[in-house]
Amino acid sequence: MAEQHSGASGADLHLVGVTKRFGAFTAVDDLTLTVPRGSFFALLGASGCGKTTTLRMIAGLEEPTAGRVMLGDQDVTRLRPYKRPVNTVFQSYALFPHLSIADNVAFGLRRRGVRQYADQVERMLHLVEMDGFGKRRPAQLSGGQQQRVALARALINHPQVLLLDEPLGALDLKLRRQMQVELKRIQTEVGITFVHVTHDQEEAMTMADTVAVMNAGKIEQLGSPVEMYDFPGTAFVANFLGQSNLLAGAVTGRNGDDLLVEAYGGRYSVPAGRARAADGTVWLGVRPEKLHVGTEVPAGQQGVRGIVTDSSYMGVSTQYLVRAEWGDELTVFVPNQGVSAPLAVASEVTVSWRPEHAFLLARPAGETQAPVVDAEEVPA
């Protein structure tokens, strides 16, 4: 199915020292990364982090101030967009309203002078589960259907790299989740490299093989969704990929394979293999779903006492806020299993966790408040 291109056919995508400045503002700062051939790669970050600018440089819509964009051994940094084996799917779909769905999908082939394209169009519409819609116009389709057509229009050109710029942002929650599954299925089936830009953590973690969290023009951390969620590298990542409770502490010593940590007068232990920092000031982190609420600390666990300040029913779980003795609130997710009554606000409780469920991150000396991460995306 794949159409061969000269030069870097089927090659990895490399960004080498890529920098983009707009006047005095550096949008992307000396970025180097490799996107393996045939992978689903997500660039995740908040507004202004540089992810969309990075995508535009790969597409050829922006020229780097410094650095190179490579497809295998081929330097495409200065190539015009239409000369790159790359296609982009935007949030806005950008379908031609006056053309039929079939003609929209065939648009790229017709521009290249391909005359026999009906079978290819039919195959692409089948791939995105839009069989029988070829004669309709975009206005006759739902948002999700239009997004499928936009995807088919890009894929029919057999690009080496497909760029997805917030492609599901305009869809409602249920349809967005459905399309996440569909996009991953399609990527697996066609085997094309997908680079997906999003501010939505769930999108990135649901679909991508590899996620790169961007912050202030740099890669904060890169890895598989499981690795990054279970063992984040920085406080920023810990609170951008999901939520984390971060306690300001300091490493006081070691006991066998465990690091000993003191935080707010309490003493805790964390396996050394779960530590990004092994001495000095640290954040002791625990995910909300790893916490347990009760009247005492179970054997083999460690915890803190506090008072329930808020209770929010969320369907599969209930979110509790528990104010610890030093004043900070901890977030706890408790599965709704129907075996116990909800905790009342103002209840005195103990929040506990198993040491192996915690992690340690480096904390700048003097910093006692965990960084607040705003994942909202504001169109620029």
Side-chain angles (χ1 to χ4, degrees), residues 126-144:
H126 177 72
L127 178 68
V128 298
E129 298 183 347
M130 290 291 290
D131 302 86
F133 286 81
K135 294 182 179 180
R136 299 193 189 184
R137 297 290 174 92
Q140 296 175 289
L141 305 184
S142 68

Side-chain angles (χ1 to χ4, degrees), residues 250-256 258-262 268 270 278-279:
V251 176
T252 59
R254 187 166 184 143
N255 180 19
D258 293 338
L259 295 173
L260 304 179
V261 179
E262 185 172 323
Y268 310 97
V270 178
D279 54 31

Side-chain angles (χ1 to χ4, degrees), residues 32-235:
T32 295
L33 63 83
T34 296
V35 179
R37 175 180 56 185
S39 67
F40 200 128
F41 190 94
L43 278 173
L44 174 66
S47 178
C49 74
K51 61 188 187 302
T52 297
T53 301
T54 300
L55 193 85
R56 290 176 62 82
M57 288 189 287
I58 297 171
L61 303 174
E62 295 282 356
E63 187 171 310
T65 307
R68 294 177 296 157
V69 179
M70 308 282 295
L71 277 170
D73 296 328
Q74 182 184 8
D75 189 337
V76 299
T77 312
R78 309 299 174 201
L79 283 185
R80 300 256 182 184
Y82 65 87
K83 290 188 175 181
R84 301 185 185 203
V86 173
N87 275 98
T88 307
V89 176
F90 298 99
Q91 179 178 331
S92 61
Y93 317 138
L95 300 179
F96 300 109
H98 61 288
L99 296 181
S100 69
I101 297 308
D103 285 341
N104 264 282
V105 173
F107 183 77
L109 298 182
R110 295 173 67 183
R111 283 191 64 184
R112 301 207 318 261
V114 177
R115 294 180 180 274
Q116 304 297 324
Y117 53 76
D119 288 346
Q120 291 189 60
V121 169
E122 190 174 326
R123 284 198 301 272
M124 280 298 154
L125 289 177
H126 177 72
L127 178 68
V128 298
E129 298 183 347
M130 290 291 290
D131 302 86
F133 286 81
K135 294 182 179 180
R136 299 193 189 184
R137 297 290 174 92
Q140 296 175 289
L141 305 184
S142 68
Q145 290 171 330
Q146 290 186 50
Q147 190 58 277
R148 290 170 186 268
V149 173
L151 187 62
R153 183 178 62 182
L155 289 172
I156 201 169
N157 296 310
H158 306 297
Q160 287 183 44
V161 180
L162 182 67
L163 306 176
L164 301 126
D165 187 8
E166 298 280 358
L168 310 182
L171 306 180
D172 62 52
L173 180 60
K174 182 177 181 180
L175 187 54
R176 192 159 67 242
R177 287 177 173 167
Q178 178 186 341
M179 283 299 297
Q180 289 169 11
V181 175
E182 286 300 304
L183 272 176
K184 181 58 180 174
R185 175 189 65 79
I186 290 167
Q187 191 274 332
T188 301
E189 188 168 333
V190 299
I192 290 172
T193 305
F194 279 26
V195 178
H196 180 206
V197 159
T198 181
H199 70 283
D200 189 307
Q201 310 152 20
E202 182 183 281
E203 274 189 22
M205 295 180 71
T206 299
M207 296 188 290
D209 306 312
T210 304
V211 177
V213 175
M214 289 194 71
N215 182 27
K218 294 179 176 290
I219 299 294
E220 190 88 5
Q221 187 178 356
L222 183 150
S224 73
V226 172
E227 292 168 352
M228 294 179 65
Y229 185 85
D230 189 55
F231 191 19
T234 67

